[in-house]
Amino acid sequence: MEVAKFVATPEGTALAYGSLVFMALLPIFFGALRSVSCGKSKNSSDMPETITGRDAARFPIIASCTLFGLYLFFKIFSQEYINLLLSMYFFVLGILALSHTMSPFMNRIFPASIPIKQYQLLFTQGSGETKEEIVNYEFDTKDMICLVISTVVGVWYILKKHWIANNLFGLAFALNGVELLHLNNISTGCILLGGLFVYDVFWVFGTNVMVTVAKSFEAPIKLVFPQDLLEKGLGASQFAMLGLGDIVIPGIFIALLLRFDVSLKKNTRTYFHTSFLAYIFGLGLTIWVMHTFKHAQPALLYLVPACIGFPVVVALLKGELTEMFRHSAGATTHAGTGLGKEKKHSPNLSCQECVLA
């Protein structure tokens, strides 16, 4: 997040920062809730992907290489053509993510009088006993409607690059990330957040790479909100921004703590509420420091200690620290939440090389 060159009014600044905080909380809250039961899905594409300790340890290195590669691309090649290719790539991903995000809401409001037809998209390779499924996607009439609505938003984004369309896609990416990316245990979460803590601090304070990429990258990998909205309305152009990585990375850790709450079978959500409030505190502190020192801040510098420290202190006070670190994805399955078998996964880098800039 950064203070733009123009002088923003106090009201415009407060509205922009407050809106970014509110938007950041939405995918974390709803994504965490949906992560508890997303393993029940029949579609393989909707099954959770589990991040292992090995994935977490090497992810900051992979992310650093990707980030620096993007930086070199923007320095060597035309920014216009790079962003054109990225726009088409995220156009397709955004439609699928937004459609998946809308699906539960469509299930609730879809009129019962309209017949629902089932469809299946199946691609296989080989034949006979060697036949292997490449894509097996089941959908129905409601999913088709979600897809049409998402396509309209996608066309709007491609043609206008409007900040509202950007945010719709960004929120969908973040919610899907929190819902479908699962940490296998608390230790893995600490490794991932700790590694990205160093990654974020180095690339923001040590170089201009992170800020340069964040400003050059015209794709819905960040949430934006105009600081001049009160003066210019929906046509405003001076934005504060929040990278999706600063939402998804802490978000998947908060979602893990919610599943830990569920596994305790105590009908409480102590660790989820604690980590959620810790995220609000960390993000608020980031905004305050940025606004005070007028410099882009690595949000994970403040979010990681808060999101890990607060729940650990609570666990210590409750005498559940050992139980917390012994909790794994498999334990949640036995608790009856319906999570599927663990699958190894290296997270998609597309929404991680972001900065609160």
Side-chain angles (χ1 to χ4, degrees):
M1 195 175 296
E2 71 170 11
V3 177
K5 294 180 180 179
F6 86 111
V7 179
T9 64
E11 295 81 5
T13 300
L15 178 62
Y17 294 164
S19 298
L20 285 177
V21 171
F22 177 73
M23 286 191 293
L25 298 179
L26 289 178
I28 292 177
F29 183 82
F30 290 105
L33 293 179
R34 288 171 59 164
S35 77
V36 175
S37 58
C38 71
K40 298 176 181 179
S41 174
K42 295 180 180 179
N43 290 324
S44 59
S45 61
D46 294 342
M47 293 292 288
E49 301 278 356
T50 301
I51 303 173
T52 66
R54 178 179 296 180
D55 295 327
R58 66 187 180 187
F59 181 65
I61 299 174
I62 297 173
S64 295
C65 294
T66 304
L67 178 67
F68 191 65
L70 287 171
Y71 175 79
L72 293 179
F73 266 102
F74 280 117
K75 289 293 184 181
I76 297 173
F77 300 104
S78 170
Q79 182 174 320
E80 179 181 355
Y81 294 117
I82 295 175
N83 281 317
L84 179 61
L85 292 174
L86 292 173
S87 295
M88 297 308 298
Y89 174 69
F90 282 99
F91 169 75
V92 176
L93 290 184
I95 289 175
L96 296 176
L98 187 57
S99 179
H100 179 265
T101 300
M102 293 171 54
S103 183
F105 303 103
M106 184 60 68
N107 290 336
R108 295 183 179 181
I109 67 174
F110 195 80
S113 58
I114 300 179
I116 299 176
K117 296 183 179 181
Q118 299 291 330
Y119 305 92
Q120 182 179 23
L121 183 63
L122 179 63
F123 286 97
T124 62
Q125 178 179 335
S127 60
E129 295 182 356
T130 61
K131 181 180 290 187
E132 180 182 358
E133 288 186 0
I134 300 177
V135 175
N136 186 1
Y137 186 72
E138 298 177 4
F139 57 99
D140 55 28
T141 306
K142 293 176 287 187
D143 297 321
M144 291 290 290
I145 294 175
C146 291
L147 197 62
V148 170
I149 297 174
S150 301
T151 302
V152 172
V153 175
V155 172
W156 180 27
Y157 172 75
I158 287 292
L159 295 179
K160 300 295 185 179
K161 294 294 178 66
H162 198 275
W163 60 273
I164 295 179
N166 173 91
N167 287 346
L168 288 174
F169 274 171
L171 288 169
F173 284 136
L175 190 147
N176 277 268
V178 175
E179 176 188 357
L180 299 175
L181 293 177
H182 286 193
L183 295 162
N184 64 352
N185 54 52
I186 300 296
S187 297
T188 297
C190 292
I191 293 171
L192 179 64
L193 267 65
L196 289 175
F197 172 90
V198 176
Y199 158 88
D200 213 17
V201 171
F202 173 76
W203 288 112
V204 174
F205 286 152
T207 71
N208 68 337
V209 171
M210 180 78 81
V211 175
T212 300
V213 171
K215 291 181 177 179
S216 304
F217 209 90
E218 292 183 7
I221 60 167
K222 53 184 178 283
L223 301 180
V224 299
F225 199 89
Q227 300 182 43
D228 54 345
L229 179 68
L230 299 177
E231 293 85 3
K232 298 183 179 179
L234 296 180
S237 58
Q238 302 293 336
F239 297 101
M241 63 184 78
L242 174 66
L244 296 191
D246 299 326
I247 302 173
V248 175
I249 297 302
I252 60 178
F253 187 76
I254 294 171
L256 174 62
L257 291 174
L258 174 59
R259 298 193 296 275
F260 173 59
D261 279 323
V262 171
S263 73
L264 294 176
K265 299 182 180 180
K266 294 183 179 180
N267 294 323
T268 63
R269 300 293 181 265
T270 303
Y271 295 101
F272 172 66
H273 293 150
T274 300
S275 58
F276 194 75
L277 291 175
Y279 181 84
I280 297 175
F281 170 78
L283 193 56
L285 181 60
T286 307
I287 292 172
W288 180 81
V289 173
M290 178 280 306
H291 191 67
T292 301
F293 293 98
K294 313 297 183 185
H295 190 279
Q297 296 294 313
L300 295 182
L301 172 64
Y302 310 96
L303 292 173
V304 169
C307 290
I308 294 178
F310 282 40
V312 167
V313 170
V314 171
L316 279 170
L317 295 175
K318 292 170 65 71
E320 295 175 341
L321 186 63
T322 301
E323 190 173 0
M324 173 191 280
F325 277 87
R326 286 180 178 174
H327 170 74
S328 66
T332 312
T333 302
H334 298 312
T337 59
L339 292 178
K341 289 180 66 178
E342 184 175 299
K343 295 191 295 180
K344 291 186 177 181
H345 175 69
S346 295
N348 186 348
L349 297 182
S350 62
C351 67
Q352 310 304 335
E353 299 86 29
C354 311
V355 64
L356 189 64

